[in-house]
Amino acid sequence: NAGVMQNPRHLVRRRGQEARLRCSPMKGHSHVYWYRQLPEEGLKFMVYLQKENIIDESGMPKERFSAEFPKEGPSILRIQQVVRGDSAAYFCASSPGRTGYTFGSGTRLTVV
Amino acid sequence: ELKVEQNPLFLSMQEGKNYTIYCNYSTTSDRLYWYRQDPGKSLESLFVLLSNGAVKQEGRLMASLDTKARLSTLHITAAVHDLSATYFCAVDPQGGSEKLVFGKGTKLTVNP
């Protein structure tokens, strides 16, 4: 079992570009969660998805951020028109449902 | 809104000493997690505490939960350098591992 796979590990974008972060959950896991970690901070919940459905997006900024988890393929967190304040580590976690998470290694986004 | 507070935020200790990290949370929950994070790495699950009075131990670390006081502790016994990391507690306010609320973390440095 390969664990939760995130890519890329590091991503550099210029202000105004788009960032796409990918997360492949563990085999058999149908629940995916995205968290953001700012430097020297704890993780902040962004969104919770199941296959083809957004269950809870209460932590997502209202603009520029979107997430999906299609029937086939990885979950994608998309940030449009990135700004310097978007620089952070973005972690994905997966679970089979209500029994605890496994976190991926994260994507470290730097906006220059 | 659930708030999770850890203290101390920074802890420098000598090898061989004991210390306790505290995690207070503001609303009722009976599911609390402790994670370890090394610099630039993902979160490693240490303990899941599921009921009042729960106590779990792994090596030099012991975690406990008092749901009535809304308090969890992570006790370090005879610290060694390899324990240097940032430790996070996280609370599941909905009891179903959907949306964890994290503390800011305690950065532990163990000096020889």
Side-chain angles (χ1 to χ4, degrees), chain A residues 52-71:
Chain A
E52 300 186 278
N53 289 304
I54 296 174
I55 307 302
D56 184 341
E57 57 180 348
S58 58
M60 287 277 271
K62 294 286 185 281
E63 296 177 350
R64 303 187 297 109
F65 284 71
S66 62
E68 61 176 6
F69 187 17
K71 187 176 179 182

Side-chain angles (χ1 to χ4, degrees), chain A residues 1-5 24-30 32 94-95 101-103:
Chain A
N1 197 335
V4 179
M5 304 300 291
S24 296
M26 286 183 71
K27 190 175 180 181
H29 287 192
S30 59
V32 166
S94 73
S95 83
Y101 299 172
T102 300
F103 279 93

Side-chain angles (χ1 to χ4, degrees), chain A residues 6 9 33 35 37 40-45 48 55-56 58 91 95 97-101 103-106 108, chain B residues 10 31 33 35 37-45 88 94-105 107:
Chain A
Q6 287 188 249
R9 292 292 300 275
Y33 311 80
Y35 284 79
Q37 184 180 32
E40 308 299 326
E41 295 281 325
L43 276 69
K44 295 274 195 285
F45 170 80
Y48 162 37
I55 307 302
D56 184 341
S58 58
F91 288 96
S95 83
R98 298 182 177 270
T99 57
Y101 299 172
F103 279 93
S105 297
R108 277 136 187 97
Chain B
F10 298 92
R31 190 177 293 237
Y33 301 80
Y35 291 92
Q37 186 180 37
D38 291 291
K41 304 290 185 183
S42 186
L43 280 79
E44 175 193 349
S45 179
F88 292 96
Q94 297 172 344
S97 291
E98 288 185 2
K99 187 165 72 177
L100 296 185
V101 179
F102 281 78
K104 288 192 173 185
K107 187 171 183 178

